[in-house]
Amino acid sequence: DAKTTQPNSMESNEEEPVHLPCNHSTISGTDYIHWYRQLPSQGPEYVIHGLTSNVNNRMASLAIAEDRKSSTLILHRATLRDAAVYYCILKTSYDKVIFGPGTSLSVIP
Amino acid sequence: AAGVIQSPRHLIKEKRETATLKCYPIPRHDTVYWYQQGPGQDPQFLISFYEKMQSDKGSIPDRFSAQQFSDYHSELNMSSLELGDSALYFCASYRGGTPLADETQYFGPGTRLLVL
């Protein structure tokens, strides 16, 4: 399974943008880049995913490097409710999700 | 929109007892995945089903079994419970045949199992 590398933790001030990086140098051509997040005591929540082009949705934006070896999840204005563990995951089609350590995001009021 | 439903939300059992966890996927989703998350750990994949057949298997103990029924709901049966089985158990659902560009899994709220 392709692996990803993320910072263990990050901090952000409330209402400021947050850029969460992810390295995936061994990504294959069929891997989609997915981001999930998990708030304390809740189930993982889908955030966004993409293949090659940058993606935007109501929750976040995903910027994918041209060589696809890295990506960045962008939260445009962090709120206290965004404090969670963010997982960057590579997967294809119906494959299971393999969770790595993720990035624990703290949001400072 | 309808989400994944799991029941019960909380369960307390004694050692060596059995437990059954249920998962009701999003309507028209035909694939179910089970994950276990121990205290302070990341979720770990246990087993998955597609169209009522086991499709993949992870680190699921032999004491555990699961199945998917004709209405696509799934049950995780756990026997001879051990203290180490105390964890959050999540299921996720997915709609098979979804175009790759739209595929993602949706997770339920989880069942918190405590074994005493």
Side-chain angles (χ1 to χ4, degrees), chain A residues 2 22 27 47-48 61 67 73 75 86 99 107:
Chain A
C22 181
I27 190 170
V47 178
I48 200 167
S61 296
D67 63 5
L73 177 70
L75 306 179
Y86 286 78
F99 292 90
V107 179

Side-chain angles (χ1 to χ4, degrees), chain A residues 9-25:
Chain A
S9 61
M10 290 184 66
E11 271 188 358
S12 173
N13 293 318
E14 194 176 11
E15 298 188 4
E16 289 188 356
V18 184
H19 290 235
L20 297 164
C22 181
N23 289 318
H24 30 78
S25 58

